[in-house]
Amino acid sequence: MSEKPKNFPLPLSSVMGTSQPKRLTDSDYRLREIAPQTAVRNIAQNRGAQKPGTEPALRPKATPLPQLPVASKNQPAPIRGAIAMAEKIAAQGVKDPMVLGALATVPRHLFVESGLSQQAYVDTSLPIGHQQTISRPYTVARMIEAVRVDAGGKKLASVLEIGTGCGYQAAVLSQVADMVYSIERIRALHELAKNNLRQLRIPNLRLHYGDGMLGLPQVAPFDAIVIAAAGLEVPEALFLQLAVGGYMIAPIGNEKQTLQLTKRTGERQWQSVMLEDCHFVPLRQGII
Ligand code: SAH
């Protein structure tokens, strides 16, 4: 590729400026610490106002909260399940209200096999066929929160997901971005995702059947790229399709994997940090 940045391939040391990747701290996220349950309840109840004596739920620059149902016994179980799951994920440290709001509303039971629907709102990955899995909701939330670190409560403009799988994460992403593109290399899963998503009628989501390692140059650059399958390194094309100022998150590794967050800091500059351990199916070349 003629535009190949001179610091490719990109071992972490070459993009960090230091030899050791740094762990992200809460202050790197620049999101105000709030009681997690408060965050989700505020979202669920569409309440911007704080109760006397409690912390404000959001920083001033955050966008208005999405209109979500309040969890109640009268609601269908899936909605209650999704809200309860989002609360648990908030308790594990995810703070981005837009991400928590999306988790509390996307009907995950529509994305799992009917025999597993009892487990749809358990925070775990589940098989979706073809030796692939629907990601663990906590990991979905963590990855999306990480690429939204500079979003300031607003939606991202354009996001690329590699590895549509059953389509769940794509549906979550569609609530935090104006436009989402998602690529899947297994045709049967691409079709499955299309079916799963059809009933949700998400206007700002485009599914592509293809090799995500090549990205989608025709609609690049992206504000964020979320890679849902693990490789030993991020494919070069994806670095180049990230907008300057944008973030990409990818599980890196084989048996032992870690989430790597990369920011494109300039035309020919990228910086990466390692976040936390994770477990993903492998990123593979080509289509089947
Ligand atoms: N995003 C899913 C998780 C999908 S699992 C969710 O919502 O839970 C990872 C998916 O990545 C698998 O479906 C796998 O087939 C796909 N994948 C692996 N390598 C790929 C590649 N090069 N391009 C596109 N998809 C790929």
Side-chain angles (χ1 to χ4, degrees):
M1 195 175 294
S2 58
E3 262 189 62
K4 185 168 178 156
K6 62 175 186 290
N7 52 352
F8 275 112
L10 278 168
L12 277 176
S13 53
S14 76
V15 292
M16 285 292 295
T18 64
S19 57
Q20 282 301 311
K22 140 180 173 292
R23 286 209 164 255
L24 275 193
T25 63
D26 276 356
S27 62
D28 289 309
Y29 279 91
R30 283 177 232 150
L31 280 170
R32 191 189 178 102
E33 186 90 37
I34 54 168
Q37 272 78 4
T38 314
V40 179
R41 289 226 175 78
N42 280 344
I43 293 160
Q45 295 169 11
N46 192 25
R47 265 193 321 196
Q50 66 189 101
K51 278 191 206 147
T54 60
E55 281 288 300
L58 298 169
R59 284 151 52 96
K61 68 177 176 181
T63 46
L65 295 168
Q67 188 104 38
L68 298 182
V70 181
S72 88
K73 278 198 190 137
N74 303 330
Q75 275 163 344
I79 294 174
R80 285 204 309 273
I83 294 174
M85 186 182 80
E87 285 184 341
K88 284 194 190 128
I89 288 167
Q92 291 175 77
V94 172
K95 301 183 187 78
D96 186 329
M98 208 176 266
V99 173
L100 294 171
L103 285 174
T105 47
V106 173
R108 193 169 183 255
H109 65 284
L110 298 182
F111 296 88
V112 302
E113 290 166 18
S114 52
L116 295 171
S117 59
Q118 291 293 329
Q119 292 175 67
Y121 298 101
V122 177
D123 184 21
T124 183
S125 60
L126 294 168
I128 55 171
H130 307 270
Q131 286 139 26
Q132 308 302 321
T133 53
I134 179 172
S135 300
R136 185 183 160 199
Y138 166 80
T139 309
V140 168
R142 203 70 181 111
M143 289 175 98
I144 302 176
E145 178 176 67
V147 295
R148 286 177 41 79
V149 59
D150 285 345
K154 299 208 181 80
K155 285 193 178 180
L156 297 167
S158 168
V159 175
L160 175 66
E161 179 193 33
I162 312 300
T164 316
C166 59
Y168 172 71
Q169 178 169 262
V172 174
L173 281 168
S174 74
Q175 291 198 21
V176 307
D178 292 333
M179 197 63 217
V180 178
Y181 302 88
S182 182
I183 314 178
E184 173 56 55
R185 69 181 285 273
I186 301 177
R187 186 185 283 279
L189 289 178
H190 167 72
E191 297 297 333
L192 173 74
K194 268 206 289 197
N195 279 334
N196 289 343
L197 288 159
R198 189 164 290 130
Q199 51 201 314
L200 297 180
R201 293 168 204 238
I202 300 174
N204 60 330
L205 174 58
R206 302 277 180 280
L207 300 184
H208 291 257
Y209 168 55
D211 182 354
M213 290 172 91
L214 308 173
L216 273 185
Q218 63 273 34
V219 284
F222 304 98
D223 269 2
I225 300 179
V226 179
I227 306 180
L232 293 181
E233 57 182 14
V234 172
E236 186 183 314
L238 301 180
F239 281 102
L240 295 169
Q241 290 175 30
L242 193 59
V244 173
Y247 285 86
M248 171 158 63
I249 190 146
I252 299 293
N254 199 342
E255 302 274 286
K256 183 178 163 6
Q257 302 168 6
T258 310
L259 287 176
Q260 175 184 298
L261 179 65
T262 301
K263 180 176 187 177
R264 186 168 189 175
T265 51
E267 263 312 306
R268 291 180 175 272
Q269 238 184 344
W270 291 258
Q271 287 189 345
S272 296
V273 290
M274 300 312 272
L275 300 182
E276 59 198 62
D277 291 349
C278 58
H279 190 71
F280 280 84
V281 294
L283 184 69
R284 297 208 191 279
Q285 226 170 0
I287 52 173
I288 55 172

